[in-house]
Amino acid sequence: MSVEKLAARLSKISESQTLAMARKSRELQALGKDIISLSIGEPDYNTPDFIKDAAKLAIDQNYTHYTPVAGFQDLKEAIAAKFKRDNNIDYKPEQIVVSTGAKQSIANVILSLIDLNDEVIVPIPYWVSYIELIKLADGIPVFIHAGVDANFKISPAQLEAAITPKTKMIIFSTPCNPSGSVYNKQELQALAEVLERHPQVYVVSDEIYEHINFVGKHESIAQFPAIYDRVITINGVSKGFAMTGWRIGYIGAPLWISKACEKMQGQFTSGTCSIAQRAALAAILADPEVVKPMRDGFLKRRNMVLEMLEEIPGIKTNIPDGAFYVFPDISSYFGKSDGENIINNSADLCMYLLNSANLALVSGDAFGDDNCIRFSYATSEDKIIEAIKRLKNALARLN
Ligand code: PMP
Ligand code: GLU
């Protein structure tokens, strides 16, 4: 191996920890181990039939050619109408860019806006890829810590204190991966009022879990006119419509930013898959209530997980109001040992659970909070019950 021949930029970033854990558990499963993986954040539901039908029709209608870089015009129109319908945000179709997953949407935005030493505020816990993409763009992540006692949500005072003249951006998700926390309208308004005073700061609002919200209406920070022209709203169909493999994400943004993202994407991937775009069009045009059965299923599982975690001593958790993760604080187990090794941090605990309980979770340090571990409960009830049984027994063996 000639790793030293790789470009320096590669050494700045690490492998996605969520994908790494999913890979590790697949490898162990292939070796015949009975691994239960609650590591990857992906709905176990299949894509609804009406969306699959739209894709089949698209093939028959020969949607098999290159697509416009920013997406089909009718899809961009449908997304603009969706933003008005669901989020009360006015975007024109030219302000929309459709990409190969919300991950590419985020990469486009960060690479288009962040220069050497620009500061990017990232509330902890954060989604794994934000940090790596910021580093790839030579930016400097600036963290705000919001722990379990704050329901993992930052306050306006914390935001104000983190902003400097070098701050270029803040990036966060609501509903949040990994905490499941959801900002309500008043909380977003209070953050928007801080941002209003700092015109150099752009806001990347990742709303990919919009439809997996158990507390009612989803709220978007772009709805506040004072900062609208500095907000980039990220969304997509992966989570809400159980379409992770189709790879469709999108942004609504100020026109100059959407044009920049289009230019970036034109050199990386061009327009995204024609067939997946026709499927996404069917999803986005549909009444959002079509996803209610999946949301109800996630809520039932969330309640089950919370009830079962309550029976395990030393675990502290918030009540996640959305997404499909729980992010409990397990730090009371640090310093304990399985007889051979001492558990010093969340990564040690995850390794111990994988090796001794055949349970794959993701350690909190991947999301910036080493006191926690992340469970994805987007899996069957049987697997959840067995997983938490394994967790309980494994933790009980630590002294
Ligand atoms: N943002 C967050 C918070 C996510 O959890 C994910 C899931 N991978 C993404 C963005 C990327 O979504 P996609 O699969 O559409 O690229
Ligand atoms: N968003 C999912 C997760 O957090 C998918 C994995 C990834 O894209 O990193 O597990």
Side-chain angles (χ1 to χ4, degrees):
M1 284 218 284
S2 302
V3 175
E4 72 280 0
K5 294 196 177 150
L6 292 171
R9 77 175 64 84
L10 212 66
S11 61
K12 281 192 228 156
I13 58 169
S14 37
E15 181 182 5
S16 158
Q17 292 302 301
T18 46
L19 299 181
M21 201 52 164
R23 176 177 49 74
K24 229 174 262 170
S25 35
R26 271 196 295 265
E27 283 166 7
L28 291 171
Q29 278 160 349
L31 292 174
K33 282 211 168 193
D34 166 33
I35 303 288
I36 294 193
S37 176
L38 304 190
S39 57
I40 193 140
E42 140 157 77
D44 57 322
Y45 297 110
N46 290 321
T47 304
D49 283 342
F50 76 94
I51 298 174
K52 293 196 281 196
D53 290 341
K56 291 175 196 164
L57 185 66
I59 296 174
D60 288 339
Q61 290 178 334
N62 292 311
Y63 279 98
T64 54
H65 300 267
Y66 282 134
T67 59
V69 173
F72 284 127
Q73 180 65 20
D74 56 354
L75 178 57
K76 291 192 296 176
E77 283 166 10
I79 291 169
K82 172 256 173 289
F83 274 126
K84 188 69 192 163
R85 178 190 70 193
D86 301 341
N87 314 117
N88 195 27
I89 316 175
D90 286 305
Y91 287 122
K92 296 193 174 70
E94 313 85 86
Q95 294 176 268
I96 310 294
V97 180
V98 181
S99 299
T100 303
K103 196 178 265 184
Q104 189 184 23
S105 305
I106 296 166
N108 282 340
V109 172
I110 290 178
L111 292 174
S112 295
L113 284 178
I114 299 305
D115 261 330
L116 181 66
N117 294 338
D118 282 342
E119 291 178 4
V120 183
I121 295 176
V122 189
I124 290 175
Y126 48 76
W127 181 50
V128 285
S129 293
Y130 300 158
I131 299 302
E132 305 308 320
L133 291 168
I134 293 165
K135 287 193 270 176
L136 197 59
D138 292 324
I140 301 173
V142 173
F143 300 108
I144 303 180
H145 195 272
V148 63
D149 294 326
N151 192 10
F152 297 110
K153 291 194 259 189
I154 61 166
S155 68
Q158 282 181 303
L159 176 59
E160 183 72 63
I163 295 174
T164 76
K166 286 187 168 174
T167 308
K168 182 79 180 271
M169 179 185 284
I170 171 171
I171 180 165
F172 70 107
S173 60
T174 178
C176 174
N177 176 4
S179 68
S181 304
V182 175
Y183 284 90
N184 64 33
K185 188 169 178 178
Q186 289 69 32
E187 289 163 340
L188 289 177
Q189 182 156 20
L191 296 178
E193 280 163 13
V194 173
L195 292 161
E196 193 181 338
R197 294 196 285 275
H198 300 279
Q200 82 280 18
V201 184
Y202 292 85
V203 183
V204 179
S205 178
D206 182 350
E207 304 179 17
I208 186 91
Y209 294 95
E210 167 179 19
H211 292 305
I212 310 171
N213 172 342
F214 312 129
V215 286
K217 197 181 162 330
H218 170 80
E219 298 291 344
S220 300
I221 199 163
Q223 71 184 288
F224 302 110
I227 60 164
Y228 164 81
D229 61 1
R230 288 188 272 129
V231 179
I232 300 100
T233 308
I234 309 278
N235 210 324
V237 293
S238 298
K239 313 290 177 171
F241 293 94
M243 292 178 69
T244 46
W246 299 78
R247 312 305 303 127
I248 297 284
Y250 55 84
I251 59 166
L255 187 61
W256 63 275
I257 295 177
S258 67
K259 288 289 154 214
C261 290
E262 182 176 352
K263 183 174 169 188
M264 182 74 67
Q265 181 162 301
Q267 294 298 1
F268 272 80
T269 52
S270 305
T272 191
C273 170
S274 53
I275 299 152
Q277 285 195 56
R278 302 321 287 169
L281 177 64
I284 287 160
L285 286 175
D287 179 341
E289 282 305 287
V290 294
V291 302
K292 186 174 181 300
M294 292 194 271
R295 181 170 58 239
D296 291 347
F298 289 131
L299 177 58
K300 187 164 168 233
R301 295 168 186 184
R302 181 206 69 175
N303 292 340
M304 213 175 85
V305 171
L306 290 180
E307 247 171 60
M308 292 180 73
L309 286 181
E310 245 174 51
E311 288 168 19
I312 305 181
I315 284 193
K316 194 164 154 190
T317 187
N318 66 327
I319 297 182
D321 286 329
F324 35 60
Y325 308 102
V326 260
F327 195 59
D329 184 318
I330 39 70
S331 56
S332 69
Y333 288 90
F334 296 170
K336 295 193 177 189
S337 163
D338 62 354
E340 270 177 37
N341 299 306
I342 295 179
I343 307 291
N344 284 315
N345 50 43
S346 61
D348 288 350
L349 188 69
C350 273
M351 267 308 137
Y352 165 66
L353 293 173
L354 186 63
N355 294 329
S356 82
N358 285 344
L359 176 61
L361 305 175
V362 186
S363 57
D365 63 338
F367 307 94
D369 189 337
D370 195 28
N371 289 332
C372 298
I373 44 173
R374 190 190 79 172
F375 291 65
S376 162
Y377 58 82
T379 190
S380 72
E381 293 182 18
D382 288 351
K383 278 198 186 148
I384 292 171
I385 292 169
E386 176 59 24
I388 298 186
K389 224 186 267 169
R390 290 183 188 188
L391 175 75
K392 188 175 179 180
N393 293 338
L395 291 179
R397 289 198 295 274
L398 295 176
N399 282 299

